[in-house]
């Protein structure tokens, strides 16, 4: 999943806000599925197959701190249970999670706006029908770091881009779950009766 979290600026927008809000909800929900998979993995790395330690993973308030805790637990686990293949896969997947976290912060903290009157978007959305409303998730003006030095936005998401990100995050979730199942196959078996 090499840089699957990177998307260019959109070339068209939605003609109403409803599909944007629906896609935004799907994308935010998909991110929470990734966090759940990472929490399960944390619990397993610290030796808790009951998954009660998932709450420990969730204690830090920002993702980068949660990810650092997971990576620390994984490092200790891989020292005791060496597997370059699994460790390499884990590193690749956590790099992807960090990238998708950046996108999640953009769309979760962005604004759904009608950008029809915004000159930048009027010029940039060349494939959009003229004289129709254009809705995107864009950065709020007070988030200075989300604009370039010319005050052009660094991101914009229509429902199309949000659904692409949701699908790619779903793929990441599947890869995380597959790795966890591969490393700890017995953790996923139902208890014996």
């Amino acid at each position: 999943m090499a840089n699957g979290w990177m998307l260019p600026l959109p070339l068209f927008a939605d003609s109403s806000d409803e599909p944007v809000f629906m896609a935004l909800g799907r994308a935010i929900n998909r991110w929470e599925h990734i966090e759940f998979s990472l929490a399960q993995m944390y619990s397993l790395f610290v030796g808790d197959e009951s998954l009660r330690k998932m709450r420990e993973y969730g204690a830090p308030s920002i993702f980068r701190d949660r990810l650092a805790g997971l990576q620390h637990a994984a490092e200790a686990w891989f020292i005791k249970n060496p597997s370059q293949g699994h460790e390499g896969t884990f590193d690749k997947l956590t790099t992807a999670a960090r990238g998708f976290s950046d996108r999640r912060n953009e769309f979760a903290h962005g604004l759904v706006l009608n950008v029809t009157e915004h000159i930048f978007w009027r010029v940039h959305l060349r494939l959009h029908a003229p004289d129709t409303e254009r809705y995107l998730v864009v950065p709020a003006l007070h988030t200075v770091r989300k604009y370039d030095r010319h005050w052009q936005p660094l991101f914009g998401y229509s429902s199309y881009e949000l659904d692409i990100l949701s699908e790619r995050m779903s793929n990441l979730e599947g890869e995380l779950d597959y790795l966890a199942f591969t490393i700890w196959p017995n953790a996923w078996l139902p208890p014996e009766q």
Side-chain angles (χ1 to χ4, degrees):
M1 182 175 293
N3 298 342
W5 57 89
M6 299 299 293
L7 291 177
L9 288 172
L11 295 176
F12 66 92
D14 291 283
S15 56
S16 81
D17 62 359
E18 186 175 333
V20 180
F21 280 118
M22 291 178 69
L24 184 57
R26 286 189 295 271
I28 290 170
N29 185 58
R30 183 51 54 201
W31 173 253
E32 291 306 317
H33 281 264
I34 289 173
E35 285 265 33
F36 183 75
S37 292
L38 294 171
Q40 287 177 320
M41 195 169 274
Y42 174 86
S43 195
L44 294 169
F45 274 130
V46 297
D48 176 29
E49 290 192 6
S50 72
L51 304 179
R52 290 188 187 102
K53 295 279 186 171
M54 288 173 56
R55 295 179 66 96
E56 196 172 281
Y57 164 83
S61 60
I62 62 171
F63 176 71
R64 296 225 183 248
D65 292 344
R66 291 190 296 276
L67 186 62
L70 172 62
Q71 290 171 318
H72 181 73
E75 183 180 325
W77 191 89
F78 282 121
I79 287 170
K80 294 177 186 171
N81 305 279
S83 170
Q84 288 184 338
H86 288 143
E87 190 170 4
T89 300
F90 174 78
D91 289 345
K92 177 188 85 143
L93 296 177
T94 55
T95 296
R98 187 178 301 108
F100 281 113
S101 169
D102 292 340
R103 298 297 75 76
R104 178 258 174 221
N105 285 340
E106 289 174 353
F107 59 71
H109 298 289
L111 299 173
V112 176
L113 288 179
N114 181 347
V115 296
T116 306
E117 299 303 320
H118 296 235
I119 303 242
F120 173 82
W121 290 112
R122 190 181 302 181
V123 170
H124 192 77
L125 298 171
R126 295 183 292 279
L127 299 182
H128 195 85
D131 302 322
T132 61
E133 292 187 333
R134 300 173 174 119
Y135 289 88
L136 295 172
V137 176
V138 297
L141 283 172
H142 68 275
T143 55
V144 176
R145 70 183 186 283
K146 297 300 180 179
Y147 287 85
D148 69 15
R149 61 187 179 93
H150 302 292
W151 279 100
Q152 305 304 315
L154 297 177
F155 72 84
Y157 300 107
S158 71
S159 63
Y160 178 75
E161 286 80 23
L162 291 168
D163 283 340
I164 287 172
L165 287 171
S166 291
E167 183 178 333
R168 291 177 182 176
M169 287 188 288
S170 179
N171 292 341
L172 173 59
E173 178 193 2
E175 290 181 63
L176 287 165
D177 291 346
Y178 181 76
L179 177 62
F181 178 78
T182 302
I183 295 175
W184 301 282
N186 294 333
W188 310 106
L189 297 175
E192 290 187 24
Q193 302 286 358

